[in-house]
Amino acid sequence: MTAYTIDFNPIIQLTDDQFYQLCRANPDLKFERNSHGELIIMPPTGGETGNQNFELVIDFGIWNRRTRLGVGFDSSTCFKLPNGANRSPDLAWVRQERWDALSPEQRTKFPPICPDFVVELMSPSDTLKSTQDKMKEYRENGVRLGWLIAPEQRRIEIYRPQQNVEILEAPATLSGEEVLPGFTLDLRSLW
């Protein structure tokens, strides 16, 4: 299955509220919206990818509960990025003080904030280029640390502000660096 992009702009430009209503009216579909306002219909993941993402969320959630430094999100959360795109990373995290600065309504709908940390876990239906483009978009919108994990290739791409992408081949662990102090992800189960 592949993602489909639909450009409604020649007919209508969806407002943020209309996009939110569209997502709520179609709960069985996963939508994103790029910075040009084009609607992207995302396919569901398969069992292997779903399990891998579940394991990542558990490890990350345990760290986050222990440190209480921020708020973690799964792949069902859609963020409104500063460039106007609406994106749903596979895993995301926002520092507590940044999250607390949002109003209750902003936190309830699609939070208008770029996460501090994101993970995109490639599934067989993802293309490397589109996932890399998404990671670059996160970085350009304020992500402080991003991991693109490609299990089939046994490869990690690390995205940091104003730095070249770092590529690691089959690392055993990943460090959360100063963004996620004390967090280390064991990747051996992915390979």
Side-chain angles (χ1 to χ4, degrees), residues 54-68:
F54 176 79
E55 294 296 330
L56 291 172
V57 169
I58 288 174
D59 290 345
F60 187 78
I62 290 169
W63 170 84
N64 195 52
R65 276 196 177 165
R66 185 178 45 81
T67 64
R68 299 186 187 273

Side-chain angles (χ1 to χ4, degrees), residues 1-182:
M1 298 177 75
T2 59
Y4 292 99
T5 302
I6 302 171
D7 186 2
F8 288 117
N9 288 323
I11 303 163
I12 185 172
Q13 292 184 348
L14 292 175
T15 66
D16 290 344
D17 283 336
Q18 288 170 329
F19 178 68
Y20 182 79
Q21 290 171 11
L22 177 69
C23 293
R24 292 294 163 247
N26 296 279
D28 294 336
L29 297 175
K30 182 176 177 184
F31 295 111
E32 288 188 339
R33 190 168 54 159
N34 65 24
S35 62
H36 305 292
E38 298 168 331
L39 193 65
I40 303 163
I41 303 171
M42 307 295 292
T45 62
E48 286 294 323
T49 302
N51 177 254
Q52 291 166 338
N53 199 56
F54 176 79
E55 294 296 330
L56 291 172
V57 169
I58 288 174
D59 290 345
F60 187 78
I62 290 169
W63 170 84
N64 195 52
R65 276 196 177 165
R66 185 178 45 81
T67 64
R68 299 186 187 273
L69 294 175
V71 180
F73 305 90
D74 69 6
S75 62
S76 62
T77 306
C78 187
F79 294 91
K80 172 78 172 180
L81 301 181
N83 71 350
N86 291 92
R87 296 295 189 176
S88 298
D90 291 320
L91 187 146
W93 181 82
V94 177
R95 284 189 341 261
Q96 190 68 53
E97 60 272 10
R98 292 184 67 228
W99 181 252
D100 291 343
L102 297 176
S103 72
E105 182 182 10
Q106 289 173 320
R107 285 182 262 172
T108 301
K109 290 189 174 182
F110 299 148
I113 192 169
C114 185
D116 293 284
F117 170 69
V118 296
V119 174
E120 286 290 346
L121 178 65
M122 288 194 60
S123 65
S125 64
D126 293 329
T127 67
L128 182 59
K129 181 177 180 342
S130 66
T131 309
Q132 288 171 328
D133 289 345
K134 193 186 291 190
M135 294 300 294
K136 290 174 188 170
E137 182 177 50
Y138 291 135
R139 181 176 61 188
E140 291 165 2
N141 280 272
V143 158
R144 296 173 50 218
L145 180 64
W147 296 340
L148 188 163
I149 302 175
E152 287 186 6
Q153 293 78 25
R154 300 172 54 110
R155 173 185 166 135
I156 306 288
E157 294 184 7
I158 302 174
Y159 292 75
R160 300 177 187 94
Q162 279 124 25
Q163 293 184 29
N164 290 330
V165 175
E166 181 180 358
I167 298 172
L168 304 175
E169 301 294 336
T173 61
L174 277 177
S175 166
E177 303 172 6
E178 72 281 348
V179 177
L180 309 170

